[in-house]
Amino acid sequence: MAMSAEAEDALDTLLKGNQRFATGNSIHRIYGDAERIEIAEDQRPFAAVVACADSRVAPEVVFDQPLGAIFCARVPGNVAADSALWMVDIATDFNIPLLLVVGHTNCLAVGQIVKGEERGVGGPLRSMISYAVFQARRHSPADLMQAALEENIRQTVEELPKRCASLHRAVVEGKCVVLGAIYEMESGEVRMLS
C-alpha cells in the first residue's frame, strides 16, 4: 500500500530528526511557563511510536522531537502488549498518519529469549518474543540476535492492526500506515525495515 503524503511527511520529519540526533546536532529545547501551558492545553502528535521500554531508547530524543509531537507507548521488546494497543487506539483519534514500531540493537527483552530465558514475569509478552525468535531461528541466520530483533519488529507491525480495530480501519482506509524500524544504538541511527 502506498503511503499518503501526510505519512511521508511524518516519516521524513522523524528521520531528519534522527539524523540531527545521530550527528550530534539535536535541537535543544527550553520549556518555559508559556511552552508548558501551551503543551498542557492541547496535543497534536504527527506520529505514533511503539518502542521498547529500554532506558536508552527514548523516541522523543532519538527522533529529536519536542514534547507533544509523538504519541508513544513503551513496552519491553516493543511488542503488541495491551498497553501499546490502548495507546494505538487513542492515537487513531488524533488521525495520526504514521505508526512506527521501533526496535533496537542490544534489546534486553529479546536477548533474554535468545539466551533461553523464557520463563518469568510478562509471560504473554515473552511468548510474543519467543515466537519471533523461533521464526528467526528457522532461517539459520548468521546473527540470531539481529534476525530475532528484526522479526520481532515485523511481528508487531503485523499484530497491531489485527488486534486494534480502529487502527485496522485507518490502515484499510489509507489514513494510517504502520512501518517498522530498528534503532542502532551504537551509531544513533534509525534504519527502516523493508
Side-chain angles (χ1 to χ4, degrees), residues 126-139:
R126 284 177 182 264
S127 295
M128 292 175 192
I129 296 172
S130 292
Y131 186 71
V133 172
F134 169 77
Q135 290 293 90
R137 191 173 273 132
R138 288 181 46 213
H139 302 291

Side-chain angles (χ1 to χ4, degrees), residues 66-130:
L67 291 174
I70 300 173
F71 209 68
C72 185
R74 296 181 64 188
V75 60
N78 47 271
V79 297
D82 285 347
S83 59
L85 290 164
W86 191 9
M87 179 281 294
V88 169
D89 186 56
I90 294 169
T92 61
D93 290 341
F94 292 112
N95 296 313
I96 51 103
L98 172 68
L99 170 59
L100 193 60
V101 176
V102 181
H104 65 95
T105 55
N106 302 322
C107 180
L108 300 174
V110 174
Q112 285 182 340
I113 305 305
V114 167
K115 292 177 191 171
E117 299 172 25
E118 296 189 21
R119 296 185 192 273
V121 295
L125 305 182
R126 284 177 182 264
S127 295
M128 292 175 192
I129 296 172
S130 292

